[in-house]
Amino acid sequence: MYQNTVIVGNLGKDPEMKYMPNTTPLTTFSVAVSRTWNDKLGVKQTETTWFKVEVWGSQAESCHKFLHKGSKVLVEGRVAVEAWTSRDGKPAATLVLK
């Protein structure tokens, strides 16, 4: 079964590209997806979720060439959760769209 997810947001910084040992290009970038609503008192609230995105092959080269910090993007892929421990020793997780 394939899990498919679509996100729409803005790049947090310029994409970074590197080449794997087998010469396959890999570009990574972060995407901020925000939602805004008014709470019960009518005060505007905003919540932002950050996604790390990995793009491989020729699409990686195109993303690196044409995208930049602040670009509006629509990304489709599968979500993976990467768990890690923060500097203060607390468990944390990153959502990665592959």
Side-chain angles (χ1 to χ4, degrees), residues 2-95:
Y2 184 76
Q3 171 190 337
N4 194 39
T5 302
V6 176
I7 62 169
V8 178
N10 296 84
L11 264 65
K13 62 181 180 177
D14 290 337
E16 297 176 7
M17 187 171 77
K18 64 182 178 181
Y19 289 91
M20 303 308 290
N22 65 357
T23 71
T24 300
L26 167 63
T27 296
T28 59
F29 52 89
S30 57
V31 177
V33 178
S34 298
R35 72 180 189 103
T36 304
W37 72 96
N38 292 325
D39 65 14
K40 293 178 182 178
L41 300 175
V43 178
K44 185 176 179 179
Q45 302 289 325
T46 302
E47 177 182 72
T48 302
T49 302
W50 287 90
F51 292 84
K52 179 181 169 188
V53 179
E54 295 180 352
V55 184
W56 296 83
S58 61
Q59 286 183 334
E61 294 172 321
S62 295
C63 287
H64 185 258
K65 182 177 179 180
F66 295 110
L67 298 179
H68 58 275
K69 180 180 179 177
S71 294
K72 175 76 77 173
V73 294
L74 181 148
V75 182
E76 181 178 351
R78 63 180 177 84
V79 173
V81 178
E82 292 182 354
W84 48 284
T85 303
S86 66
R87 290 183 183 153
D88 59 3
K90 295 181 181 178
T94 301
L95 300 174

